[in-house]
Amino acid sequence: MSKMRDAMRSQPDELARLLADPAPAEAAAERLAGRRLLLIGIGTSWHAAHHGVWTLRDARVDAEAAHAAELA
């Protein structure tokens, strides 16, 4: 079995573990309150930046995504 396959198979359990305890995410949102964040990516990281923005906005954090090639 490969490490990639192991990592993929562990994702449902890891997600359940993360969602079971909102305290770390709430603490992070509190530390980010009042700040404006810019998440930058290209390729799959661009996709991840968009998801990060959606998640941060749900936590009432001011966030935007930018494509790395546009900023270069």
Side-chain angles (χ1 to χ4, degrees):
M1 192 145 321
S2 72
K3 290 186 181 212
M4 174 73 81
R5 185 175 297 155
D6 291 344
M8 290 171 62
R9 286 189 175 164
S10 72
Q11 288 179 355
D13 290 338
E14 285 300 306
L15 181 59
R17 182 183 65 77
L18 290 170
L19 294 175
D21 183 9
E26 290 168 352
E30 286 177 22
R31 287 192 303 274
L32 296 172
R35 296 181 185 190
R36 187 168 186 219
L37 299 180
L38 180 61
L39 280 63
I40 302 166
I42 195 164
T44 55
S45 295
W46 172 233
H47 179 78
H50 276 277
H51 282 276
V53 166
W54 297 331
T55 303
L56 288 164
R57 286 182 180 168
D58 281 346
R60 296 178 302 280
V61 174
D62 183 11
E64 289 186 44
H67 196 277
E70 292 180 7
L71 298 175

